């Protein structure tokens, strides 16, 4: 048996928002949703009103393979957001299986996504090639890679790496930079 836990956000006074559910077929069409932001009109309602909320739904016990489906039914540029979707394998008499769908009392595990070893090295190397014609030295790459790795998201890391590369001597020149600890005359 499985539970699907997730976080959801929609702006205040959104008439219709997002829906989440699952299907056991290979089709990409999903018509039956477990939870929807529909203003409280159904039993499977999630209402965010400008706050991140944690919700869950149960996958039927006889289902061994399924696909999760999301939809944004809102109008205009202010959509809804799903985040931190966790598929939990429920074994034995686990906590809250069978008590869903609900957005009450749901606690998500704090999971760190697994990184790919060497990914930040390849990003910084690619940026070095694109922005400095490959002239970025190893010390600068290490500093930039450490900032990239410490960022909350890959996008934040990319932005910080681009900003740091733009401050290097290699970015502002076309020759090979030779570092020296000597004062200029």
């Amino acid at each position: 048996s499985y539970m699907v836990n997730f976080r959801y956000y929609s702006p205040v006074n959104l008439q219709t928002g997002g829906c989440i559910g699952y299907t056991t077929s290979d089709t990409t069409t999903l018509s039956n949703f477990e939870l929807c932001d529909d203003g409280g009109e159904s039993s499977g309602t999630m209402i965010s009103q400008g706050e991140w909320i944690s919700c869950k739904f149960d996958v039927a016990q006889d289902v061994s393979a399924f696909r999760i489906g999301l939809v944004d039914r809102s109008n205009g540029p202010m959509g809804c957001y799903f985040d931190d979707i966790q598929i939990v394998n429920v074994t034995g008499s686990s906590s809250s299986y069978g008590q869903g769908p609900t957005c009450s009392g749901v606690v998500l595990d704090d999971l760190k996504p697994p990184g790919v070893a060497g990914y930040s090295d390849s990003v910084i190397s690619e940026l070095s090639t694109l922005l400095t014609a490959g002239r970025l030295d190893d010390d600068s790459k290490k500093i930039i890679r450490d900032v990239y790795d410490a960022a909350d998201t890959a996008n934040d890391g990319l932005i910080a790496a681009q900003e740091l590369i733009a401050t290097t001597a290699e970015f502002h020149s076309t020759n090979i930079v030779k570092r020296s600890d000597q004062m200029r005359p």
Side-chain angles (χ1 to χ4, degrees):
S1 300
Y2 295 94
M3 287 189 312
V4 178
N5 300 337
F6 60 95
R7 293 186 318 132
Y8 175 75
Y9 174 87
S10 68
V12 176
N13 297 326
L14 191 66
Q15 295 300 320
T16 57
C19 290
I20 186 170
Y22 73 95
T23 181
T24 57
S25 68
D26 289 335
T27 180
T28 57
T29 305
L30 181 63
S31 57
N32 292 332
F33 293 98
E34 296 293 320
L35 285 165
C36 283
D37 186 354
D38 59 7
E41 295 178 9
S42 68
S43 61
T45 293
M46 54 186 177
I47 301 174
S48 166
Q49 291 296 315
E51 302 273 332
W52 280 101
I53 58 173
S54 296
C55 302
K56 75 162 206 79
F57 65 86
D58 303 323
V59 176
Q61 290 183 348
D62 60 343
V63 173
S64 60
F66 59 93
R67 293 176 185 221
I68 295 175
L70 308 170
V71 66
D72 181 355
R73 301 177 308 154
S74 60
N75 295 325
M78 298 175 27
C80 61
Y81 304 92
F82 291 91
D83 191 21
D84 204 11
I85 298 172
Q86 301 174 8
I87 300 172
V88 180
N89 188 354
V90 181
T91 55
S93 59
S94 181
S95 61
S96 61
Y97 182 82
Q99 299 173 10
T102 184
C103 294
S104 176
V106 177
V107 178
L108 290 145
D109 294 331
D110 187 18
L111 303 174
K112 297 290 181 194
V116 176
Y119 182 74
S120 58
D121 289 331
S122 66
V123 170
I124 303 309
S125 178
E126 183 75 15
L127 288 174
S128 171
T129 300
L130 293 172
L131 300 176
T132 69
R135 295 185 313 274
L136 198 60
D137 70 2
D138 290 338
D139 291 334
S140 296
K141 285 181 182 179
K142 181 187 179 319
I143 292 167
I144 295 166
R145 183 182 59 245
D146 291 346
V147 170
Y148 180 91
D149 288 339
D152 289 335
T153 66
N155 193 43
D156 291 345
L158 181 62
I159 291 168
Q162 290 169 337
E163 290 172 346
L164 287 174
I165 289 175
T167 66
T168 65
E170 292 89 346
F171 181 80
H172 293 282
S173 66
T174 57
N175 59 342
I176 303 297
V177 174
K178 180 181 175 190
R179 303 214 185 270
S180 171
D181 61 354
Q182 301 297 315
M183 293 289 290
R184 287 185 173 186

